[in-house]
Amino acid sequence: MSKQPIGIFDSGVGGTSIWKEIHALLPSENSIYLADSFNAPYGPKGKDAIIYLSIKNTEFLLEKDCKLIVVACNTATTNAISVLREKFNIPFIGIEPAIKPAALNTQTNAIGILATKGTLSSALFHNTSSLYANEITIIEQIGEGIVQLIENGNLESVEMERLLKSYLKPMLDANIDYLVLGCTHYPYLIPMLLKLLPKHVKIIDSGLAVAKQTKTVLEKYNLLNTEILNTNNEFYINLKNTAVMQSLLGNHRTKVNYLEF
Ligand code: DGL
């Protein structure tokens, strides 16, 4: 049982940022990553469509015999994880914007959240943010267009810089000291964000927390892989262009497979 892979899915290539955190913390785990890039972005889609696609992704990973599934997508987590947990008898780990640590540590009483429309309009996000909304100012910003640029390989583009500057402006005007990245594509923006943000603004994402939670749940269910030789990490994407994902994986020179599903 423990040798079975961890399944990880995202609307596209961004969840590889989460795969890297999990792989760094749990190097002896086998894994299967699924990028539903053909249907990306999920952010502007309605809840029903996001649930439908999340079920399809889960079924793919279950066919590959995964022992646990990480929903490496804030949009899919905030819209679909409760349905997935009800429908499938397997542990799920989700990811949500890290509002809590930002809200507890802010000195300026203002934090910024950059996420997709689907995440920011979800009930799950709303419930969490309303816990803090009385004490601090939360500037929410939809990252319209960012996911598409990353999916198309335009991470470091003039257009990306233009979008980010316009999205950060209201946050900087409100004197934020924390920027929460609420989408798993966004950690890849950190080098550009560091250039655009004043030094005192801290950037936080939920990647490490998700990796730690994955470890905790594997331990709880006695599912950690104890056979550490020859681990296998497989990557699947439903677009013929595998180069973007390959380049985001960088040093992890694993082959990315094109698969229609
Ligand atoms: N990586 C997804 C997330 O964390 C991107 C959603 C999208 O495809 O719009 O929300």
Side-chain angles (χ1 to χ4, degrees):
M1 180 77 175
S2 68
K3 272 197 295 184
Q4 287 175 252
I6 295 174
I8 302 172
F9 79 79
D10 180 33
S11 61
V13 297
T16 52
S17 65
I18 305 301
W19 176 84
K20 286 178 192 173
E21 299 274 8
I22 292 172
H23 184 63
L25 190 68
L26 297 163
S28 51
E29 291 298 322
N30 297 306
S31 69
I32 297 186
Y33 182 96
L34 179 64
D36 188 16
S37 292
F38 182 81
N39 293 302
Y42 281 12
K45 295 188 196 304
K47 190 176 169 76
D48 288 349
I50 297 168
I51 290 174
Y52 170 79
L53 293 168
S54 300
I55 289 175
K56 211 158 72 85
N57 296 338
T58 299
E59 283 170 347
F60 175 95
L61 292 170
L62 290 180
E63 269 167 36
K64 297 253 172 216
D65 207 23
C66 291
K67 61 185 174 184
L68 167 147
I69 290 179
V70 179
V71 182
C73 177
N74 291 259
T75 313
T77 300
T78 51
N79 284 276
I81 202 157
S82 55
V83 176
L84 298 177
R85 286 190 172 130
E86 249 169 57
K87 193 171 165 61
F88 301 101
N89 187 21
I90 184 175
F92 283 91
I93 310 290
I95 182 163
E96 285 179 67
I99 305 176
K100 189 176 172 182
L104 293 180
N105 290 304
T106 176
Q107 301 293 307
T108 60
N109 286 331
I111 66 170
I113 316 238
L114 191 60
T116 70
K117 183 171 172 229
T119 296
L120 293 176
S121 60
S122 68
L124 200 57
F125 174 79
H126 192 73
N127 289 346
T128 315
S129 69
S130 61
L131 291 178
Y132 304 99
N134 288 337
E135 292 145 44
I136 60 162
T137 305
I138 303 178
I139 312 286
E140 297 175 12
Q141 176 64 56
I142 297 174
E144 182 88 47
I146 295 178
V147 167
Q148 293 95 312
L149 284 176
I150 296 174
E151 289 289 322
N152 296 335
N154 296 312
L155 176 62
E156 286 155 21
S157 57
V158 175
E159 175 62 0
M160 184 69 89
E161 191 168 328
R162 191 189 66 75
L163 285 183
L164 289 183
K165 275 186 183 156
S166 74
Y167 296 157
L168 294 176
K169 171 119 188 6
M171 301 187 187
L172 296 176
D173 288 348
N175 196 23
I176 64 156
D177 59 353
Y178 277 87
L179 171 64
V180 178
L181 302 182
C183 169
T184 56
H185 284 66
Y186 299 172
Y188 288 114
L189 302 171
I190 289 174
M192 193 179 274
L193 287 169
L194 288 173
K195 281 190 219 146
L196 299 176
L197 287 167
K199 290 263 170 306
H200 72 278
V201 178
K202 295 178 194 66
I203 302 171
I204 50 177
D205 65 68
S206 320
L208 181 58
V210 168
K212 285 183 178 166
Q213 179 64 7
T214 304
K215 187 173 178 208
T216 303
V217 173
L218 288 176
E219 278 167 352
K220 178 175 162 197
Y221 291 102
N222 220 358
L223 289 173
L224 278 172
N225 188 11
T226 45
E227 291 184 31
I228 52 173
L229 289 176
N230 299 324
T231 56
N232 185 37
N233 300 290
E234 292 175 22
F235 294 85
Y236 295 94
I237 184 169
N238 51 3
L239 278 189
K240 282 196 181 127
N241 180 1
T242 58
V244 173
M245 187 151 146
Q246 196 82 62
S247 88
L248 291 179
L249 284 168
N251 295 338
H252 303 280
R253 279 276 149 235
T254 333
K255 186 177 175 312
V256 174
N257 303 289
Y258 162 65
L259 194 84
E260 233 175 85
F261 65 90

